Amino acid sequence: MVAAAPALICASAELENGGDARRFEIERADGRRQAAFVVRYQGRIHGYLNRCCHIPVELDLQDGKLFDLTGHYLICSMHGARYRPDTGYCTWGPCRGQSLTALDVGEKDDKVWLNVMPDEFC
Ligand code: FES
């Protein structure tokens, strides 16, 4: 669980291109927790709150398997919304045109970091 940033999420080697997401939780000042994840896509790390834009449920039913079979979209397991891994933009599904809440994440010293806590968790 992450309560302040910068915070270590995982080792860089844990994230393969188009592979399983690394899930983690962010803790708000009021103690509420929000699921989040990081993935690697085309060599770069991307992080988002783990909350679909259609209904606020976790995209992956807690197994970290977010990429579709093409390896180019993150897919919501509930109703199939597809999001671009690099922007979080929903290209298909009931929430098309909306975007996942992006997190400021990055790599340094072979580790993946949450650089800044998000301002809000809506
Ligand atoms: S809850 Fe994600 S597409 Fe409906």
Side-chain angles (χ1 to χ4, degrees):
M1 181 179 38
V2 173
L8 176 64
I9 298 172
C10 64
S12 293
E14 291 182 45
L15 292 175
E16 297 179 8
N17 269 317
D20 287 358
R22 178 64 156 80
R23 295 168 50 92
F24 63 101
E25 286 188 330
I26 296 171
E27 183 175 355
R28 298 169 51 127
D30 64 5
R32 283 175 39 198
R33 294 180 178 193
Q34 170 63 52
F37 66 86
V38 287
V39 292
R40 186 183 300 279
Y41 178 65
Q42 296 183 338
R44 298 193 60 190
I45 299 295
H46 303 279
Y48 300 99
L49 295 185
N50 193 352
R51 185 182 56 211
C52 186
C53 295
H54 178 215
I55 297 171
V57 298
E58 296 181 14
L59 298 171
D60 63 338
L61 299 177
Q62 302 187 344
D63 64 2
K65 305 212 179 299
L66 285 162
F67 280 98
D68 71 356
L69 294 177
T70 71
H72 293 294
Y73 293 96
L74 304 175
I75 188 166
C76 177
S77 58
M78 189 68 72
H79 305 113
R82 290 192 188 102
Y83 297 92
R84 289 185 54 161
D86 54 348
T87 63
Y89 182 79
C90 181
T91 61
W92 188 92
C95 43
R96 186 169 62 184
Q98 300 180 54
S99 295
L100 299 172
T101 302
L103 300 174
D104 183 348
V105 296
E107 290 186 283
K108 185 178 180 188
D109 300 328
D110 296 324
K111 295 178 176 63
V112 177
W113 298 88
L114 175 66
N115 295 322
V116 178
M117 287 292 282
D119 289 337
E120 52 86 22
F121 291 73
C122 53

